[in-house]
Structure formats: C-alpha cells, structure tokens
Amino acid sequence: MARPLTEYNRKRDFEKTREPPGETARRKRAAAGSLSFVIQKHAARRLHYDFRLELDGTLVSWAVPKGPSLDPKDKRLAVHVEDHPISYGSFEGSIPKGQYGGGDVIVWDHGIWQPHGDPSKAYQEGKLKFTLIGEKLSGDWTLVRTRLPGNSDKEQWLLIKERDQAARPADEYDVVRERPESVISGAVIDEKTGRTQPAAGTARAKPPSKTKTDPRPAAAKGGKGTGKSASKSASKSAFPQTLSPQLATLASQPPAGDWLYEVKYDGYRVMVRFDAKGKVTIFTRNGHDWSAKLPEQVRELGQLKLTSSWLDGELVVLNEDGLPDFQALQNAFDTKSTRQMLLFLFDAPFLQGEDLRQQAVEGRRGALQEVLAEHQGELLRFSETFDADYVSIFRSACAMSLEGIIGKRAGSPYVSRRSADWIKLKCKQRQEFVIIGFTAPKGSRSGFGSLLLGVHDEAGKELRYAGRVGTGFNQARITAIHQQLQALQQKEQPVAGKVPDARTATWVKPQLVGEVEFAEWTGAGVIRQPVFVALRSDKPVEEIVREQPAAPEEVEKVMGRKRVSGKVAGVKISNAQRQIDEQSGATKGDLAEFYESICDWMMPHLAGRPVSLLRAPEGVGGEQFFQKHAERLAIPNIRHLDPALDPEHGSYMEVNNVRALIGAVQMGTIEFHTWGAGSSRIDRADRITLDLDPDPDLPWKSMLDATQLVLAVLDELGLESWLKTSGGKGMHIIIPVARHLDWESAKAFSRAISSFMASQLPDRFTAKMGPNNRVGKIFIDYLRNQFGASTVAAYSVRARPGLPVSVPISRDELPELRSAAQWHIGNLQQRLAGLSGDPWADYHNRQRIKQDHWQQLNAKAP
C-alpha cells in the first residue's frame, strides 16, 4: 500500500528549497524486488544522520544523532521522522536557513536493503531485521521501537548492528569517523561549522578577490561566472605528463547564449604543471619548458602548495596604464627582467589530482579562485570576468586599446584543442604570419626594408604570399631581427606564385613567426596598412593560417566540436551534424571521428573476428536492432565471411580496417560486438567471457567486490584473465584459451564457474538469468559463450545516454574504478594519452582448459 507524504510536503516551501516535492512512487516490482536505502549526513540545527529505507513507495526515515556503528554493543538512538519521497535518496545540497531542516546535506551511504520477512508487517510491529548492501555499511542490522521517554512525541527506535563478519569493535574502527565523505561527490561536512567542504582537489567558490592592477574596462567589472564549485562529479583519472591548452575560435560576434567574458591578454600563453610532490614546471603552449626563464614565477607558484595540478594562464607585462603590452613583455625577456611579468590564471583543468575538464567552466574557475584567494604574492593574478553586456564590454575594451576580449560559453568543458566554446573577439585585425623573406633597406635604414609574409592554406600544407610589413620597427628591432634572418637565408622562394619584388628579395627558411596588425585583407589575399607588433616564438609555423572570423551561426553549429563534413577516413558521412545523443550532444560526425581516432586501439579487438552491429539510425533514443549477417548492407571495405558457414542466413561480417569501421558508422552503427572465436575457425572458441551483470540497484562497491572474488577463483585455478568495463553497469572478465574447445564445452565451463560462485556465495551471486533472479545479486552471464553469441568489443561505444565506452583496464586499476561507464567518447582520449602502455599488452590465447580445472571446481563446490 502506498504511503502518503502529506507531512513531508506540509513542512516545506518548494519555492525556496531545492528538495524534491513529495510524490509517492508506484514502481512495478517483483514480490522480492530490491529496495533502496540511503543515509544522509545532515548539518541542521544539530548534526545528525538520516537513515532511510524504501518501503511501500516512500522512504521511511529516522534521525540517528550519532550515526550508525559497526559495533553490536552500540545501540544507536534513532528518532522516527516523517516519510520522504524516494527521489530524496539522491539529494545533496543546502537547505536554506529558515526552512525546515535548514543546513547542508550529503549522501553518506546508499545501496539496497533486504528485509528478513514481511517488511511492512515488521515495521508496524516495531522490529525490523534486515541486511544492508551499501558502499560503507553491510551485513545484518535491526531497528527496534522502544518505549523510552523522549523530548517530543516522536517515536524512539534503536539501530543495532548484528554480530556477523561485517561487525567491528568501536575501539578498532569507527565508520563515521573513518569514512566522513559523500559516496556521490566525495564532499565532507565540517562538523564544527556545519558547512560542506568539496572533495579533495576541488573547492567552494568565494567572492572575487581584488587584484592590485585591474586591466579591465571600467564599465565591465565584477565576478560573473566564478560562483559555482567544481566539486560535484569531479573525476579521478591518470594525471597527464603533458597537457595542451584549449584554444579560442576567432568570431565576428558571439552567438546567442550565456557567455562569460575576460580580457584577451596580449602575452604568452602558458600551462603550469604541479607534479605529485608539488614541483612546478611552466610550459609554453607548444610544450617548451620555460621554468628556468621564470624563476620568480616558479617560486611564487610553489607557494600555492598544489600537487598533481594543471593551471592555464597568460604571462603578461603591464604598461604604465595597467594594460598588457606585448613589446614590453619581449623586452623583459631580452633584459631578463622577469620580475615584471605577471601570470594571469584563468582555468584549472586538474586540481589536487582531480580531473575537472568535464566540469563547467564556472566550476573550474571557482575552484581556481579559491586557491588564489589567500595567496599574498605579487606575480599571480586571477583573470576575472565582466559583469556587463557584450556590447558594453567590447566597446570599452577597444576604447582602452586592448587587443579584444575572450568569450567562454557557460557550462562548457575544457578540451585540449581549438573549440568554439571559447571565442576571441578582436578590436582590430591582428594575427601571426610566417616570415618568408625581406627586402633591401632604403634611405638611412639598415638591415632590411620590409618583411615578406606568408600564411598556410586551410589544409596547413602550402604557404601563400600574404603581403609585406615595413612599419612598426625601430632600428634596434630591425638589427636584432635581421641577425636571425641572415642565418636562415636560402635561394628558393618559399611560396608558390608571383611575389612583388621577388627579383630583389632575400628569401629565408620559413621558421620565424611575426605578429602584425592591419586594416583588412584585399581580394588578392594580401593585407593592407600593416604594422609589425613582435616576433612570436610560442606559435608553431605549421599552425599559421589566415584567420577569418566565424559568424555567430557558424559558431553555434560547431558548439565546441570540430564540424565534420565531407569524409572521415575516406568515407562520406551523410547528415554528419545530426545529433545522436541528447545527453552529450554528440553528432553522427562526432562518432565517426571518435572511432577514427581510436582505430589503432580498437582494431586488434575487431579484426579477425565475426562482428555483429548494433544499429541505431535515429540515435540513442530511437529504435535499435542487431545485424549479424551482411545481407544487402553495403558497407565499404567490410569483409564478408564464407556464406557456407551459415547457408540459411548468408555471410557473417568482419571489420578489419578503418574504412569498414567508419562505413558501419555511416550506416547507423553505434556498437560493435564480436564473437569469442576467430573468423578462420568459428567452430572453436578462443576466449571465454564472463559477463558480470548486477542488479542495477546494487552499489558499485558490490560490483568491485564481486569482480575481485571471481578473479581470485580464476587465479586459484591457474587461469590468466583480463578485465574490461562493459560501458553499462557490469564488468567483463575475459579468459583467453587455445582453440581446443568446441562451443558446447566453452559454454559448459563458463556455466560451471557461474554455478560455483552462486553455490559458494549465494547471497552475492546467482547462476539464473532474469531480473527476478538477480535481486540484490550479480548474475555471471555464461551465455556469451555459445555459437553465434557475441560481446561488445573493447573500445566500442555503447548506444546509451552519454555514449559510454567499453574499455580494457589492468587489474591494478580495478580498486580505483568508479563506474563501468566511467569513460565515454568525451574523455577516453584523455585516458589513452595518459597510459604508459596497453593494459592488455600481454594478452594471448595459449592456455588450455584442462580436466584438472573441472575437477577443482567440482571439489570446491558444496
């Protein structure tokens, strides 16, 4: 019977609190369906723990002042309070002061509970016995109603841990003290202040701090965009040795949407790395180590006491008006006056070991601002955002002779490439050019008269003449540049086509880059009214192309990703901009590019095996269907196996090259599933797959424990095994074998393992398929090991919201794994870039299943 939530709703004003409104759940369940529990740590008027059990469509709730204890001797007081909605089980946040229960809340533990007997009847009678399967709490417990006098009319209960393997003496282990963190965000509540402290490596944002020199338009001061913390959903991932910066797209004006604006600093872009011991290294955007050139900045950065962090910023020298001056920056380098250089920091892709790249830009900036708030040094500044409309900001910036402004799309992640989520809006035409030669000086000038300039075509392959610049120099600069050019002289003209004054020009190897300000491009592709600004040693020659501002609608189409048009790996992609996943915003073209980018990792797991395709022509939310046979599906370069292998249905397929991989995507494929056999001997298994399929309500810790238990059994049998995430809820354990097993034997052996685990640990495992049989348990699916059956391939995307990926891992990584869907098309490349080697580098198919293995399983069975 559903329980009403009248009292819960009466006590709350949902116009003021973010708590979910009370609605009784009427979820369809099997008679023995899994039931959720949650324990929330709540810093209300008094700090306490809210213990909640799902029952009859609501969460029946008790306030436990001291929190649960694993010691059976401790009988914790539990004050019965009003029922809460099931949706409350995921609530974390702050209840406003003045509201009922005002204060911070975190999810301290969650999972499922298994009542002993009829839970509704036991609850009414005042004595609930049950088993908890949570991230922190497990084993058997009792809640019993007492007749103790209380200070209110609320019922007094006792929460008691039963004596079992999960019980521990309080003087040995206090779970409340040892495990204070949220199981969702990792945040903790400071028991003295009652305020939530973000997980390690993230920070609660504070109000903007003042800088001593503020080179911002007078009409555009404030701190918009720095008020959100990056604490939620921050991820653990391999800390990279190198990290490329996010680059902005030149735009004519911002598209519609919420944009955060900062000064476009006229300086050198740098990335700052703090290693695990706090050592500071400053890199240019090209990855050159400039730490030795910037000792004062390194010393001051070290005062931040950060470890395993990456910060993004711009090295700047301010002129007497407090504005960035690039020539002054170069002069400071020439005279080694680096003490003049300020480092304006504006992003934190990694902080204290936490990967913040998938967090919103506001959260990353809030975390960075927290780090800099207490810093008392002279050389580090926080790059603040403007609190004004775009037109006012841009006009003010240009009136102050700033180079322009940078816009960042609110809510956008950090990506190590050029992105339309960051746009640059310039007050004047200004960009870098490759110096291809010079003309002879005239009059009293010595050295050279003008510099000849070039830019690459859009493909980045061919240099084209772009004009010449003869103003903006003094004699000292001419002399210094001329000395560099003399060492680069060559006879050949570096660009194709006609160049004015080519007969008298001196050509140089195209290795130097100069920044030039100019009025416009002519129809012939050369610049008018140019003025030389400075040499740029931080910009690679290969990247110098003609910059053309994108119109707002063009920026909007890109939405932070490279637009895919034409072909990927030589395969034409139709409707490349069609969105296939609402959660990630990914398009069909994005998916094709992703598969092309990981082809070298994926192909060893695809090539040489029959493949089944899961096609979803309408995307993740549309109809999905499997295709095992080639039929009339025309995929370029896909291999068709011998039709005689299955005369009734036709040829099986094999994907063994990148064109076939992308061709399948073009035909609507998202997932690739492979057999446990090679294409040359499909009648013989060459691997056994154990698919650990959990009750979806089980906590992740149960999945990790179960995987470790199965691995331990395989180790005892002397069988090597390999791990990969499923990209869904479970894990895949792969046992490579020599081609000596027919399918009947392969299925029988995998079933024997499944049955053995279920017989040994019936409270954790089941050998029977179906949701009713795996309530609170994990089904070891052995049915992957039969003729025609397949398992999602390593590095295949899953057709699920967020487009997660099935990823091979090493055993050492298992304890730190946070989810079977931890990696997706947006962050897998970051993992691969941080790997020191292939986790499956030693995978082989030489081991044999022997009679001894069967005997060991039978001998250990009860």
Side-chain angles (χ1 to χ4, degrees):
M1 179 182 295
R3 304 167 59 84
L5 291 167
T6 307
E7 184 68 5
Y8 171 87
N9 287 327
R10 184 185 66 80
K11 290 181 175 181
R12 290 163 177 81
D13 183 348
F14 297 107
E15 294 293 325
K16 298 179 179 179
T17 179
R18 292 194 298 110
E19 298 167 279
E23 294 181 0
T24 302
R26 292 180 174 83
R27 292 194 279 177
K28 293 183 179 180
R29 293 183 176 274
S34 60
L35 299 165
S36 65
F37 86 88
V38 63
I39 301 174
Q40 286 157 311
K41 190 172 183 178
H42 186 179
R45 185 167 54 89
R46 293 181 181 178
L47 186 69
H48 64 277
Y49 294 76
D50 291 314
F51 188 92
R52 312 189 196 281
L53 301 175
E54 180 183 353
L55 183 63
D56 297 332
T58 67
L59 293 174
V60 291
S61 302
W62 294 261
V64 183
K66 293 184 178 181
S69 170
L70 300 180
D71 193 334
K73 295 180 181 179
D74 292 336
K75 297 176 174 59
R76 295 298 201 211
L77 176 65
V79 180
H80 191 271
V81 296
E82 76 277 8
D83 293 353
H84 283 53
I86 290 175
S87 56
Y88 203 94
S90 59
F91 174 72
E92 275 198 345
S94 183
I95 302 172
K97 291 183 178 180
Q99 290 296 296
Y100 179 75
D104 287 4
V105 178
I106 63 171
V107 176
W108 184 79
D109 196 14
H110 63 186
I112 66 173
W113 72 289
Q114 298 171 328
H116 301 176
D118 184 341
S120 297
K121 180 179 179 182
Y123 174 67
Q124 293 298 326
E125 293 177 350
K127 190 171 184 179
L128 269 169
K129 288 184 175 289
F130 52 90
T131 298
L132 293 181
I133 304 175
E135 301 282 355
K136 300 176 183 177
L137 302 186
S138 59
D140 294 339
W141 297 74
T142 296
L143 264 169
V144 58
R145 186 167 55 224
T146 74
R147 296 185 179 181
L148 295 173
N151 56 6
S152 70
D153 57 353
K154 295 179 179 178
E155 294 178 346
Q156 312 288 301
W157 293 59
L158 296 176
L159 176 64
I160 307 167
K161 178 73 187 74
E162 295 294 329
R163 298 184 184 277
D164 56 20
Q165 292 182 342
R168 299 182 67 175
D171 57 357
E172 289 185 9
Y173 185 80
D174 182 347
V175 68
V176 168
R177 183 180 66 247
E178 298 294 334
R179 299 290 307 276
E181 78 286 353
S182 162
V183 294
I184 292 179
S185 65
V188 297
I189 291 181
D190 187 314
E191 298 195 4
K192 293 182 179 180
T193 65
R195 297 299 305 278
T196 300
Q197 301 298 318
T202 60
R204 181 191 294 271
K206 289 185 177 180
S209 56
K210 296 181 180 179
T211 56
K212 295 185 178 181
T213 305
D214 193 354
R216 297 179 297 156
K221 296 188 178 182
K224 182 181 177 183
T226 61
K228 296 183 181 180
S229 170
S231 63
K232 291 189 177 182
S233 304
S235 64
K236 287 276 187 184
S237 61
F239 183 67
Q241 292 292 322
T242 61
L243 187 68
S244 299
Q246 180 161 346
L247 303 177
T249 297
L250 182 64
S252 59
Q253 65 183 72
D258 189 6
W259 293 87
L260 314 176
Y261 296 102
E262 302 171 51
V263 165
K264 186 181 188 306
Y265 294 103
D266 197 1
Y268 280 126
R269 182 75 172 277
V270 294
M271 301 292 290
V272 182
R273 185 180 192 271
F274 301 77
D275 70 10
K277 295 183 179 180
K279 179 184 176 182
V280 176
T281 308
I282 300 178
F283 294 99
T284 68
R285 59 175 281 180
N286 297 327
H288 300 304
D289 186 345
W290 275 14
S291 306
K293 295 183 179 182
L294 302 165
E296 292 92 349
Q297 287 74 15
V298 168
R299 189 177 305 113
E300 194 162 312
L301 285 161
Q303 295 172 9
L304 298 179
K305 305 296 183 184
L306 296 177
T307 58
S308 301
S309 301
W310 278 97
L311 305 183
D312 191 353
E314 188 100 357
L315 197 64
V316 173
V317 168
L318 302 180
N319 63 20
E320 58 186 16
D321 295 322
L323 300 176
D325 186 332
F326 188 78
Q327 186 55 53
L329 176 63
Q330 285 209 319
N331 293 340
F333 271 114
D334 294 340
T335 60
K336 298 184 179 180
S337 303
T338 55
R339 185 70 190 173
Q340 304 176 38
M341 301 177 189
L342 305 179
L343 180 52
F344 281 86
L345 295 166
F346 45 73
D347 215 315
F350 278 81
L351 206 54
Q352 298 293 71
E354 296 286 350
D355 185 351
L356 305 185
R357 289 174 292 185
Q358 293 303 308
Q359 307 308 305
V361 61
E362 303 97 309
R364 299 194 308 272
R365 285 177 50 80
L368 173 61
Q369 190 174 14
E370 172 84 5
V371 169
L372 296 175
E374 305 301 326
H375 179 65
Q376 301 298 318
E378 299 290 329
L379 304 182
L380 305 183
R381 307 287 174 85
F382 179 68
S383 175
E384 298 189 47
T385 52
F386 307 146
D387 190 14
D389 63 277
Y390 155 69
V391 174
S392 299
I393 294 168
F394 188 69
R395 286 177 177 173
S396 185
C398 296
M400 295 179 68
S401 298
L402 289 170
E403 185 183 353
I405 59 176
I406 296 289
K408 298 176 182 178
R409 191 188 301 275
S412 62
Y414 190 97
V415 294
S416 292
R417 54 177 168 80
R418 194 170 301 281
S419 164
D421 282 334
W422 288 17
I423 55 175
K424 50 186 176 183
L425 302 140
K426 293 185 177 182
C427 295
K428 299 179 181 178
Q429 297 242 41
R430 178 168 161 173
Q431 73 160 78
E432 295 79 26
F433 293 86
V434 181
I435 299 174
I436 61 173
F438 57 90
T439 62
K442 295 180 180 180
S444 60
R445 178 182 285 190
S446 61
F448 61 79
S450 298
L451 297 179
L452 304 178
L453 308 175
V455 291
H456 286 96
D457 58 17
E458 291 185 0
K461 295 180 179 179
E462 182 180 329
L463 265 177
R464 297 174 179 173
Y465 177 68
R468 63 183 184 176
V469 57
T471 60
F473 307 99
N474 56 31
Q475 189 58 54
R477 296 179 73 185
I478 291 175
T479 301
I481 294 172
H482 187 242
Q483 288 178 349
Q484 296 184 61
L485 294 175
Q486 283 181 313
L488 298 175
Q489 289 186 31
Q490 67 177 30
K491 294 182 179 180
E492 298 81 14
Q493 178 176 307
V495 295
K498 294 183 179 180
V499 177
D501 301 318
R503 293 182 179 179
T504 59
T506 300
W507 304 114
V508 298
K509 297 176 182 177
Q511 296 180 6
L512 293 183
V513 174
E515 187 168 1
V516 178
E517 187 175 281
F518 56 96
E520 64 179 351
W521 289 90
T522 70
V526 298
I527 54 176
R528 291 185 62 250
Q529 301 176 14
V531 178
F532 186 79
V533 177
L535 289 180
R536 299 296 301 239
S537 58
D538 60 330
K539 302 288 181 74
V541 170
E542 297 77 13
E543 292 184 8
I544 305 305
V545 297
R546 176 176 172 178
E547 295 183 0
Q548 301 189 60
E553 58 272 15
E554 293 175 324
V555 176
E556 196 64 46
K557 287 179 181 178
V558 179
M559 286 295 289
R561 295 179 297 274
K562 188 174 75 172
R563 295 186 69 189
V564 179
S565 58
K567 297 182 178 181
V568 175
V571 177
K572 184 177 180 181
I573 304 298
S574 61
N575 300 316
Q577 303 303 323
R578 179 170 57 81
Q579 183 173 289
I580 61 171
D581 175 48
E582 182 177 356
Q583 180 172 312
S584 66
T587 65
K588 181 181 178 182
D590 292 332
L591 182 65
E593 285 200 328
F594 171 79
Y595 272 124
E596 182 189 35
S597 72
I598 64 161
C599 180
D600 289 344
W601 289 88
M602 186 178 188
M603 201 51 62
H605 304 276
L606 270 181
R609 295 183 181 277
V611 65
S612 297
L613 309 177
L614 188 143
R615 298 173 61 195
E618 298 175 1
V620 170
E623 181 183 2
Q624 302 177 7
F625 56 91
F626 268 101
Q627 184 159 352
K628 295 175 59 176
H629 300 272
E631 298 173 344
R632 297 179 181 177
L633 182 63
I635 298 178
N637 294 288
I638 201 165
R639 182 188 175 202
H640 293 192
L641 303 186
D642 187 349
L645 296 173
D646 190 352
E648 293 185 6
H649 297 92
S651 298
Y652 293 113
M653 300 175 288
E654 180 187 323
V655 173
N656 59 9
N657 62 81
V658 66
R659 286 176 57 84
L661 180 66
I662 305 306
V665 175
Q666 160 60 16
M667 299 303 293
T669 299
I670 295 181
E671 297 185 8
F672 294 83
H673 293 242
T674 52
W675 287 35
S679 300
S680 61
R681 287 295 304 275
I682 67 172
D683 60 326
R684 295 282 175 173
D686 65 1
R687 68 184 182 197
I688 291 172
T689 299
L690 303 177
D691 180 2
L692 276 59
D693 187 12
D695 176 347
D697 290 333
L698 277 173
W700 177 242
K701 180 178 180 294
S702 296
M703 190 72 253
L704 294 179
D705 291 345
T707 305
Q708 294 280 24
L709 287 168
V710 177
L711 290 174
V713 170
L714 296 176
D715 288 345
E716 192 168 346
L717 291 173
L719 293 173
E720 290 186 339
S721 56
W722 304 82
L723 289 172
K724 71 181 181 72
T725 64
S726 68
K729 295 287 186 180
M731 293 290 296
H732 293 161
I733 300 177
I734 312 299
I735 308 168
V737 295
R739 296 181 181 179
H740 68 294
L741 294 178
D742 58 26
W743 286 110
E744 184 178 349
S745 299
K747 180 180 176 182
F749 186 72
S750 59
R751 183 172 186 173
I753 295 174
S754 180
S755 298
F756 173 77
M757 298 303 299
S759 65
Q760 291 287 304
L761 298 165
D763 58 328
R764 292 175 179 256
F765 295 97
T766 178
K768 297 180 180 180
M769 66 182 304
N772 293 348
N773 294 314
R774 61 184 169 101
V775 173
K777 300 179 182 181
I778 293 170
F779 171 52
I780 303 181
D781 187 353
Y782 55 86
L783 299 173
R784 307 287 181 181
N785 306 291
Q786 54 188 339
F787 183 85
S790 60
T791 304
V792 68
Y795 298 108
S796 172
V797 178
R798 305 305 305 271
R800 303 181 181 191
L803 296 179
V805 181
S806 177
V807 180
I809 66 169
S810 67
R811 282 204 186 188
D812 292 341
E813 293 179 284
L814 182 62
E816 300 300 321
L817 199 65
R818 303 186 320 278
S819 162
Q822 180 168 330
W823 292 290
H824 48 78
I825 70 168
N827 66 5
L828 180 61
Q829 285 288 6
Q830 297 161 10
R831 164 180 167 76
L832 298 180
L835 288 176
S836 58
D838 187 346
W840 281 25
D842 299 325
Y843 180 95
H844 60 80
N845 305 70
R846 294 189 293 272
Q847 61 187 344
R848 299 177 70 87
I849 304 300
K850 302 176 182 178
Q851 188 63 31
D852 181 57
H853 293 129
W854 293 89
Q855 292 173 351
Q856 288 185 68
L857 285 174
N858 293 333
K860 295 176 186 298

